[in-house]
Amino acid sequence: LLAVFYLFGKLILPFLAPLVWAGVLALLFRPLYLRLLRKLKNKTTLCALLITLLILVVLIGPIATLGVMLVDEAADAVARVNEFYQSGALQKYLDVKLPIFDDLKEKLSRYYDFSQVDLNEVIRGAVDKAGKFVIDQAGSFISNGTKAVFYFILMLVSIYYFLKDGDKLVDWLRRAMPLPREKVDATF
């Protein structure tokens, strides 16, 4: 029996976060749901659907706008770097001689031979590594994006049912609690 509970926990754990968020959002929007329920003459399905759509618009609107802006900025930055690279302007920026580097190089030359080090090559190597890192992370970003969309849909469906059948769920929990009646009433 313990193994069954353990396996059930392992099965349900990945879905716990969207379900908890659904419960929190359903609880936050419950007063609005009840007010709308009175106005629409106890049409629970319609009220739950309208509140779920409202939550969808309130959450998706800003997140989608931010995501689109972020992707646009990233694409713009990559295009600018490519343009600089193609025109040779990037090389001009990398070839800049700063006096502070020369002073630093002179002071550190007592400890390390910098004649073999080309600072431009070091910077180019760092830029290449950063670019490869971004490209490598794009796959995991897409994978995590798909997972996030699935969890978001699960959360919206859960919100709908928490609003629509929340009273039935609370009644079932009250009956299932192994406490005296006065303690259950104090809890809820």
Side-chain angles (χ1 to χ4, degrees):
L1 185 62
L2 190 59
V4 170
F5 282 123
Y6 172 75
L7 292 174
F8 178 73
K10 292 286 277 185
L11 180 71
I12 202 76
L13 190 63
F15 305 108
L16 194 60
L19 292 174
V20 168
W21 275 111
V24 167
L25 288 170
L27 194 60
L28 285 174
F29 282 86
R30 185 159 174 76
L32 182 60
Y33 169 77
L34 293 174
R35 187 178 305 153
L36 189 61
L37 194 60
R38 282 192 300 273
K39 289 199 186 273
L40 294 178
K41 299 179 177 83
N42 290 331
K43 294 183 178 173
T44 58
T45 303
L46 180 61
C47 291
L49 183 64
L50 289 174
I51 296 298
T52 303
L53 290 175
L54 175 71
I55 292 171
L56 173 70
V57 169
V58 166
L59 289 178
I60 285 291
I63 291 172
T65 303
L66 183 65
V68 166
M69 289 171 55
L70 184 66
V71 168
D72 283 347
E73 287 297 319
D76 210 23
V78 168
R80 274 196 222 125
V81 168
N82 282 335
E83 183 181 313
F84 277 171
Y85 182 74
Q86 298 294 332
S87 69
L90 184 62
Q91 182 64 35
K92 193 170 26 171
Y93 283 116
L94 292 177
D95 287 339
V96 172
K97 297 287 186 191
L98 296 174
I100 191 166
F101 284 133
D102 291 336
D103 292 342
L104 187 62
K105 201 174 183 182
E106 184 179 317
K107 288 179 182 177
L108 292 176
S109 65
R110 289 182 277 171
Y111 306 106
Y112 185 77
D113 181 22
F114 282 100
S115 63
Q116 305 296 327
V117 177
D118 183 12
L119 188 58
N120 292 333
E121 279 301 314
V122 171
I123 292 173
R124 261 190 232 102
V127 169
D128 283 345
K129 283 182 183 177
K132 287 177 184 173
F133 175 76
V134 168
I135 289 170
D136 290 343
Q137 294 303 312
S140 73
F141 178 75
I142 291 169
S143 166
N144 289 337
T146 305
K147 185 176 171 182
V149 167
F150 172 73
Y151 283 169
F152 190 77
I153 291 170
L154 175 64
M155 183 185 71
L156 287 175
V157 169
S158 299
I159 288 171
Y160 171 79
Y161 283 106
F162 284 163
L163 289 170
K164 184 176 181 292
D165 297 328
D167 293 333
K168 294 175 189 171
L169 179 63
V170 169
D171 287 341
W172 178 81
L173 285 173
R174 290 177 79 140
R175 287 191 312 271
M177 288 182 76
L179 295 174
R181 191 75 177 152
E182 58 274 355
K183 297 224 183 218
V184 171
D185 290 340
T187 305
F188 290 96

